[in-house]
Amino acid sequence: MITLKFYVLQPLVAAVFLAVCSCAPSTPKEAYQQKYGASTVSTVEEYRRQVAQHPDRELVDLRAYLPDAAFDVVYATAENFMGTPVYKSPGAYLRKPAAEALRAVQAELAEMGYGLKIWDAYRPYRVTVEFYEHVLDSTFAASPYTGSKHNRGCAVDLTLIDKSTGEELAMPTPFDEFTTRAHVGFSDLPEEVLRNRELLIKAMANHGFSVYADEWWHFDFHDWEQYELVDLEFEELESVSF
Ligand SMILES: [Zn+2]
């Protein structure tokens, strides 16, 4: 009788414990969110609700906003510092006002015969966690405790191209070369490279983007504090229409 009671009661006790205790993460997403304590928009429903109230929070597809830009979303390939794709598809999204500002940058550059090549834009918070846990350094990989401005849909990694040839202009380093040469103050460079870097930084600044000092290719949109961290995959964004 005692034995029978034990077998009957044990699963009941476990079920009650699990129902009451919500502290145990049940998904990888919950696990890293608890670990770093960052607050993110992590469901399609929440994102849809926010955009319905504040249309500027929509993450818009840059390919639609910038049809003349070039795209090379390297995180969707193995050709990146992680050595493996971290995106399932080469999505490129920004919050609507940032995308509109980038369109103005492109129009200004087009008059001079230049265009933009986008390497990365909105980045799901999940990927910031993966980057940080790979490098364990927050100089080049944003800390998951605070998140990245990429997670807010307010940062973009890009370079200049010659509009007539599609070729990249000479810059101090390739994308994601994490060296002192990537710092915007690094000056031991050919005149042409200094000029190209300056042209990019100035064109972006004219429309509300400031360069990140350690990475000449990374730009933050001035209004980034207005926007929350988002942890939705590109495929989830694509599933939402407004
Ligand atoms: Zn960046």
Side-chain angles (χ1 to χ4, degrees):
M1 192 64 185
I2 289 168
T3 310
L4 181 66
K5 265 188 187 165
F6 177 77
Y7 282 119
V8 170
L9 287 176
Q10 195 184 39
L12 275 175
V13 169
V16 168
F17 176 76
L18 283 173
V20 170
C21 177
S22 60
C23 54
S26 58
T27 65
K29 202 178 229 185
E30 282 178 20
Y32 63 66
Q33 285 176 350
Q34 281 188 19
K35 182 173 175 186
Y36 296 110
S39 165
T40 64
V41 175
S42 56
T43 66
V44 169
E45 293 69 33
E46 192 181 356
Y47 170 64
R48 195 197 303 269
R49 220 173 18 248
Q50 288 199 349
V51 176
Q53 285 177 348
H54 307 282
D56 277 355
R57 296 196 191 175
E58 183 179 353
L59 285 155
V60 300
D61 187 346
L62 289 182
R63 284 181 176 81
Y65 265 71
L66 305 169
D68 295 331
F71 291 85
D72 180 15
V73 180
V74 295
Y75 296 138
T77 75
E79 303 301 311
N80 65 68
F81 76 98
M82 297 284 281
T84 185
V86 291
Y87 296 159
K88 285 192 217 102
S89 59
Y93 292 80
L94 281 181
R95 301 285 190 173
K96 197 183 277 180
E100 283 167 357
L102 201 56
R103 187 155 56 188
V105 173
Q106 181 170 263
E108 182 180 321
L109 290 166
E111 288 178 14
M112 294 179 267
Y114 302 119
L116 297 171
K117 179 185 266 191
I118 314 284
W119 283 315
D120 196 33
Y122 160 71
R123 181 183 302 159
Y125 175 77
R126 162 189 69 82
V127 176
T128 288
V129 172
E130 289 177 16
F131 284 175
Y132 181 77
E133 293 187 348
H134 181 78
V135 299
L136 290 178
D137 179 280
S138 58
T139 306
F140 291 105
S143 163
Y145 291 98
T146 54
S148 161
K149 295 177 187 74
H150 282 287
N151 308 143
R152 297 176 191 270
C154 287
V156 61
D157 300 325
L158 77 182
T159 193
L160 293 176
I161 55 171
D162 183 317
K163 253 185 84 177
S164 58
T165 64
E167 293 292 317
E168 289 178 25
L169 268 58
M171 287 291 182
T173 67
F175 175 52
D176 271 359
E177 182 185 298
F178 302 135
T179 65
T180 53
R181 289 175 71 87
H183 194 282
V184 293
F186 188 83
S187 58
D188 186 13
L189 294 162
E191 266 306 310
E192 182 198 359
V193 173
L194 291 172
R195 226 175 20 245
N196 292 343
R197 184 179 67 188
E198 192 52 36
L199 174 66
L200 175 63
I201 292 173
K202 195 163 178 304
M204 293 295 281
N206 286 346
H207 300 281
F209 289 93
S210 54
V211 70
Y212 176 55
D214 283 312
E215 301 172 356
W216 63 263
W217 58 80
H218 174 112
F219 293 85
D220 296 317
F221 187 55
H222 67 93
D223 243 0
W224 63 268
E225 278 174 298
Q226 305 297 318
Y227 301 91
E228 291 171 283
L229 305 171
V230 177
D231 197 11
L232 295 174
E233 302 297 321
F234 301 139
E235 294 73 20
E236 290 177 292
L237 297 179
E238 279 162 22
S239 74
V240 186
S241 54
F242 296 102

